[in-house]
Amino acid sequence: MRKILLTLLAIGGLALIAAAQDSGELRDRITVTGWGQTYYDAAFGPDVRGTNTFAINKINLVAKGQITDRWSMGILFQMHSPAKLKELWLQYTLMPQLRVRIGEMKTPFGMENQIPPSLLPLTSGWTMPTCYFAGVSGDPLYRGTSGRDIGLELSGDLWGKILSYKLAVMNGQGLNTLDLGTTKMYGGALYVRPYSGITLHTSYLGGEMHAMGTRGAIQAGDAYKRSSVSAGLSLDYRPVTLSAEYLIADTDETIGDGAYVMVVGHLPKSFELYGAVDWLRTDRSASESLLTGTVGVQRWFAKKCRWQLEYRFPGTLGSDEGFGPTHHIRTQVQFGF
């Protein structure tokens, strides 16, 4: 019942904001957008029974408002199950070099984490290393955050965006959750653009946090120390773009790391070919790691709308049973306004 009420309130609130767009003065200061993804996926391989299914991937509604020339706000509501509020923030822009934002928002960690799935090539959204280390899914100690948290962020652009930065202090407990103690999670990111088309990126996220689940000797709710670092590179020389990133996290119990490389070829008539390889090792002391290769084609038939056809093969390295990949073929349609 609570989820239904939240959904109805969100729809009603966004409908009011949308109606306000036609009220003259607010027309140029409030925008409402949304997008959704639905797909058909078939999985097969030597170790699995062939499965196939239709499914809803993601549905998000977004509202942004320019309250004054300095004050702005944003709301992002997830409509697919489980329905929940993902962003709610207020920002004050003192100058281009200094912005202050408070509320629920993206953490500054990870280059790929800053980009919405509606713009990323992979049908699943983010790569495995980003999902694991940014707290999206996989790590029992830090998961289900959607790469977001509640806190305070300072950001700015220097020297015509040659250098950009983010500094944040956050609860460290993910979405819509109170802090379980007095300590906080700290994060930061630095973007350097020495030449046109080249972006260098590094970020940090860590502090004393409370475990969201159990892993090894660390029980759910226990305080533990976490330190995550990433370093990435983005090249945009159309018709080819490339992004690569290495991520590593040190907790009280384990050290894990991972990396990905993604290449996109931009073709005529809004077609794109893309390929990615990502690798994830959740524990350096273990011999096993996960490797996933992806190739696909997509076509943008409107500003926020596209169809995709993708082949993905995840497997395990260092296993006594061999690589043993499971093959996935997925076709996905994204629509937005």
Side-chain angles (χ1 to χ4, degrees):
M1 177 61 71
R2 188 172 123 190
K3 292 179 181 178
I4 295 175
L5 289 174
L6 282 173
T7 302
L8 293 175
L9 286 172
I11 294 173
L14 292 174
L16 289 174
I17 294 174
Q21 290 183 355
D22 296 326
S23 64
E25 183 183 351
L26 297 178
R27 183 178 305 163
D28 298 326
R29 295 197 288 122
I30 298 178
T31 59
V32 178
T33 61
W35 57 273
Q37 296 172 337
T38 182
Y39 66 82
Y40 171 81
D41 185 276
F44 54 94
D47 300 326
V48 298
R49 295 180 179 179
T51 60
N52 63 84
T53 184
F54 291 97
I56 300 295
N57 193 0
K58 298 177 178 66
I59 307 173
N60 287 317
L61 292 177
V62 184
K64 291 185 178 180
Q66 192 67 42
I67 302 170
T68 69
D69 59 340
R70 293 185 182 272
W71 289 98
S72 57
M73 53 78 66
I75 301 173
L76 190 155
F77 193 82
Q78 174 179 296
M79 302 296 293
H80 59 279
S81 180
K84 58 186 172 182
L85 181 70
K86 295 174 74 173
E87 289 189 15
L88 177 64
W89 50 261
L90 180 68
Q91 179 172 289
Y92 181 75
T93 302
L94 185 64
M95 60 184 77
Q97 296 82 3
L98 180 59
R99 298 181 291 268
V100 182
R101 179 179 290 191
I102 187 170
E104 186 166 273
M105 67 197 108
K106 283 277 190 179
T107 71
F109 182 72
M111 182 172 66
E112 191 182 35
N113 183 43
Q114 310 308 310
I115 305 172
S118 59
L119 299 178
L120 290 170
L122 301 184
T123 58
S124 58
W126 303 285
T127 57
M128 285 196 305
T130 296
C131 285
Y132 192 86
F133 295 114
V136 178
S137 62
D139 186 351
L141 302 183
Y142 184 56
R143 63 185 178 186
T145 71
S146 190
R148 295 172 170 87
D149 214 296
I150 305 174
L152 177 71
E153 178 189 85
L154 303 179
S155 64
D157 303 308
L158 307 174
W159 304 299
K161 292 190 176 182
I162 292 178
L163 179 68
S164 300
Y165 72 92
K166 292 181 179 181
L167 298 171
V169 54
M170 296 177 153
N171 284 343
Q173 294 303 123
L175 299 174
N176 312 315
T177 306
L178 298 176
D179 200 344
L180 297 181
T182 58
T183 58
K184 291 292 181 283
M185 179 179 73
Y186 302 94
L190 193 64
Y191 297 82
V192 181
R193 305 174 182 90
Y195 302 101
S196 176
I198 300 177
T199 300
L200 306 175
H201 173 269
T202 185
S203 65
Y204 169 82
L205 194 70
E208 185 173 300
M209 302 163 62
H210 289 81
M212 298 178 181
T214 299
R215 190 181 73 189
I218 303 176
Q219 302 297 308
D222 285 354
Y224 76 102
K225 291 183 179 180
R226 185 183 193 91
S227 182
S228 303
V229 179
S230 75
L233 166 69
S234 176
L235 302 176
D236 189 347
Y237 289 102
R238 305 298 173 103
V240 177
T241 56
L242 179 146
S243 59
E245 188 173 19
Y246 174 76
L247 308 94
I248 183 170
D250 184 357
T251 67
D252 285 340
E253 191 181 49
T254 61
I255 298 177
D257 57 354
Y260 68 85
V261 177
M262 187 178 304
V263 179
V264 180
H266 305 269
L267 306 177
K269 297 184 178 180
S270 301
F271 279 94
E272 292 178 347
L273 296 175
Y274 60 89
V277 176
D278 63 66
W279 167 78
L280 174 63
R281 179 172 53 180
T282 60
D283 186 350
R284 276 186 167 183
S285 64
S287 61
E288 294 186 4
S289 59
L290 302 175
L291 181 69
T292 302
T294 306
V295 293
V297 58
Q298 63 182 6
R299 183 177 186 270
W300 296 88
F301 56 90
K303 185 177 180 180
K304 297 182 180 181
C305 303
R306 60 179 168 173
W307 61 259
Q308 298 171 272
L309 180 61
E310 181 180 281
Y311 170 64
R312 181 169 58 93
F313 50 104
T316 303
L317 297 175
S319 171
D320 294 336
E321 299 177 358
F323 187 66
T326 300
H327 304 272
H328 287 265
I329 295 179
R330 176 179 291 189
T331 180
Q332 179 168 276
V333 178
Q334 174 180 302
F335 52 91
F337 61 91

